[in-house]
């Protein structure tokens, strides 16, 4: 009878042992990576932020634009590490969560930071020499400042993965289970906000690039407030005559058809004239041929209230990507 009871306990004991092994492995990785993270934060804070402040190579506004709340993020890591080294995971991570807003601020400043770095490297000879000198220090191990600036955002993703794993492998009756669960939730929410900020910044970059490609009076403000999905060349098949190549820009709510400016047009060479704008909310999409995935390309039919477009590509894979992106745009307008 005792043997039966013991065998019934084995699966539970084995599960607990697995939790403990995973928890110990995750905790060790969190501690070791935090030490390395803090070391790198400290190198930038000491050899870049601190010395730039002392030398006055950059004005305070330029230095703030370049590094954002770097020193405050470094301070938050300095607070956290002793808790991790002492094995007080729940208490340390719960306290660390009060500093998560710094990571949101850092993400919001990321695009400005990269722009400031490129501008200063280009126009400020003193700053350029200073950066080259500091990057040559053996402590940086051939890393460049540009490689180090995204470090806090990369670490936030690591925090999410490690703290979630730590919470999941902590027994519910453990003293720090609630603290770890709360910390995992707050860190995941912050990581999601930071991801959304990054997506908006990438979209803004696409919009500025596309707006620069579109010339003429009709093109002004065409990309404002939109979400970019795709661009590329497609052949427009007319009712009569030969297919004509056109550049298409797909956004979440509209499809823009554009025609390249003549090469002899000196002021607007390399740009495109907007020829038509199609609202995706009124689009009906059909694949005429190109279902088989063969090498022959395919044809898409886009029907709008006032016009029907037949778009062709000789690249089957490219056509599939266009079909997927157009489907997404249409679905987003109906939801």
């Amino acid at each position: 009878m005792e043997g039966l009871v013991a065998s019934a306990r084995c699966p539970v004991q084995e599960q607990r042992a697995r939790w403990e092994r995973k928890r110990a492995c995750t905790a060790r990785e969190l501690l070791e990576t935090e030490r390395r993270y803090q070391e790198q934060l400290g190198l930038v804070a000491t050899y870049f932020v601190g010395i730039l402040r002392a030398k006055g190579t950059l004005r305070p506004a330029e230095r703030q634009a370049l590094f954002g709340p770097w020193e405050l993020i470094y301070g938050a890591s300095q607070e956290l590490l002793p808790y991790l080294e002492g094995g007080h995971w729940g208490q340390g991570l719960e306290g660390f969560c009060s500093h998560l807003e710094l990571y949101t601020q850092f993400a919001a400043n990321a695009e400005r930071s990269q722009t400031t770095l490129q501008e200063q490297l280009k126009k400020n000879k003193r700053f350029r020499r200073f950066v080259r000198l500091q990057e040559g220090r053996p402590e940086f191990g051939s890393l460049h400042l540009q490689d180090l600036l995204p470090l806090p955002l990369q670490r936030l993703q690591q925090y999410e993965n490690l703290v979630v794993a730590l919470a999941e492998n902590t027994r519910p009756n453990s003293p720090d289970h609630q603290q770890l669960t709360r910390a995992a939730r707050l860190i995941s929410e912050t990581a999601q906000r930071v991801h959304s900020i990054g997506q908006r910044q990438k979209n803004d970059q696409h919009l500025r690039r596309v707006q620069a490609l579109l010339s003429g009076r009709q093109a002004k403000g065409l990309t404002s407030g939109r979400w970019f999905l795709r661009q590329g060349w497609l052949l427009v098949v007319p009712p009569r005559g030969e297919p004509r190549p056109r550049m298409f820009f797909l956004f979440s709510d509209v499809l823009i058809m554009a025609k390249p400016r003549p090469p002899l047009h000196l002021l607007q060479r390399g740009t495109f004239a907007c020829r038509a704008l199609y609202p995706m909310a009124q689009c009906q999409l059909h694949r005429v041929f190109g279902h088989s995935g063969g090498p022959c390309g395919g044809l898409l039919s886009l029907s709008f209230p006032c016009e029907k477009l037949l778009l062709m590509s000789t690249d089957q894979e490219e056509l599939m990507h266009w079909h997927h992106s157009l489907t997404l745009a249409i679905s987003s307008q109906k939801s």
Side-chain angles (χ1 to χ4, degrees):
M1 186 68 180
E2 289 179 359
L4 289 173
V5 173
S7 64
R9 287 175 182 165
C10 282
V12 176
Q13 291 171 347
E14 288 174 2
Q15 179 61 53
R16 287 176 178 172
R18 282 196 295 269
W19 279 345
E20 288 301 325
R21 286 194 299 271
K22 289 181 180 179
R23 174 184 163 90
C25 182
T26 303
R28 184 168 58 252
E29 184 178 356
L30 178 59
L31 174 59
E32 291 173 355
T33 54
E34 186 65 23
R35 284 172 175 157
R36 177 58 180 156
Y37 174 53
Q38 186 179 123
E39 179 187 353
Q40 291 178 312
L41 288 175
L43 288 173
V44 174
T46 301
Y47 292 113
F48 282 99
V49 186
I51 296 179
L52 283 170
R53 183 188 296 111
K55 291 170 66 72
T57 308
L58 295 179
R59 293 193 296 268
E62 294 167 340
R63 193 175 64 249
Q64 179 62 29
L66 179 56
F67 295 103
W70 189 281
E71 290 176 304
L72 295 175
I73 289 173
Y74 178 38
S77 177
Q78 288 177 308
E79 287 182 24
L80 173 62
L81 187 56
Y83 285 100
L84 302 186
E85 291 175 330
H88 306 298
W89 311 99
Q91 185 180 357
L93 288 165
E94 187 176 44
F96 171 75
C97 287
S98 64
H99 301 294
L100 286 174
E101 180 59 29
L102 295 173
Y103 285 82
T104 305
Q105 294 171 13
F106 191 87
N109 186 65
E111 187 177 8
R112 185 175 171 222
S113 172
Q114 288 295 331
T115 302
T116 302
L117 176 62
Q118 297 308 319
E119 287 178 351
Q120 292 300 320
L121 287 173
K122 184 177 180 180
K123 72 179 185 181
N124 189 332
K125 189 180 295 184
R126 284 181 62 204
F127 178 74
R128 188 164 59 247
R129 281 201 303 262
F130 171 79
V131 169
R132 194 179 302 124
L133 178 66
Q134 301 304 81
E135 290 176 344
R137 289 179 175 272
E139 295 92 337
F140 287 96
S142 75
L143 286 173
H144 298 286
L145 179 57
Q146 187 169 358
D147 303 323
L148 292 165
L149 284 177
L151 190 63
L153 301 183
Q154 295 165 0
R155 183 57 178 167
L156 181 64
Q157 187 60 60
Q158 291 178 330
Y159 279 140
E160 182 182 20
N161 296 336
L162 292 170
V163 176
V164 167
L166 193 63
E168 288 177 347
N169 291 289
T170 298
R171 286 184 292 175
N173 60 350
S174 176
D176 59 354
H177 179 264
Q178 286 189 350
Q179 292 173 317
L180 288 173
T181 301
R182 187 159 48 246
R185 176 177 57 81
L186 292 172
I187 290 172
S188 294
E189 290 173 356
T190 302
Q192 183 58 49
R193 283 196 294 273
V194 165
H195 176 72
S196 298
I197 290 170
Q199 291 296 100
R200 286 197 297 272
Q201 289 176 346
K202 287 180 181 178
N203 184 65
D204 290 343
Q205 291 171 4
H206 281 303
L207 295 185
R208 288 193 294 269
R209 178 184 58 78
V210 172
Q211 187 65 66
L213 287 173
L214 294 171
S215 63
R217 188 176 302 172
Q218 284 183 309
K220 290 184 178 178
L222 269 183
T223 63
S224 178
R226 294 197 154 104
W227 279 93
F228 174 83
L229 296 180
R230 190 172 195 80
Q231 79 175 68
W233 291 96
L234 291 170
L235 295 169
V236 178
V237 182
R240 290 182 296 275
E242 294 295 317
R244 301 185 301 268
R246 293 290 182 265
M247 175 63 78
F248 285 88
F249 301 94
L250 177 62
F251 299 87
S252 54
D253 62 331
V254 295
L255 176 67
I256 295 175
M257 181 173 68
K259 181 180 179 180
R261 294 281 185 182
L264 297 179
H265 202 302
L266 297 179
L267 295 178
Q268 296 178 329
R269 182 187 300 171
T271 65
F272 297 85
C274 177
R275 307 303 295 174
L277 186 148
Y278 302 98
M280 296 310 297
Q282 302 174 358
C283 178
Q284 292 184 357
L285 173 66
H286 302 284
R287 203 178 326 192
V288 179
F289 68 85
H291 300 266
S292 61
C296 302
L299 187 69
L300 297 177
S301 170
L302 285 74
S303 298
F304 300 92
C306 299
E307 189 175 351
K308 182 176 181 178
L309 279 179
L310 288 177
L311 304 180
M312 186 173 73
S313 174
T314 56
D315 186 328
Q316 175 69 28
E317 186 176 356
E318 178 71 5
L319 193 82
M320 289 175 63
H321 290 319
W322 269 104
H323 184 269
H324 177 69
S325 298
L326 288 162
T327 302
L328 283 178
I330 295 169
S331 299
S332 70
Q333 294 304 298
K334 292 180 179 179
S335 59

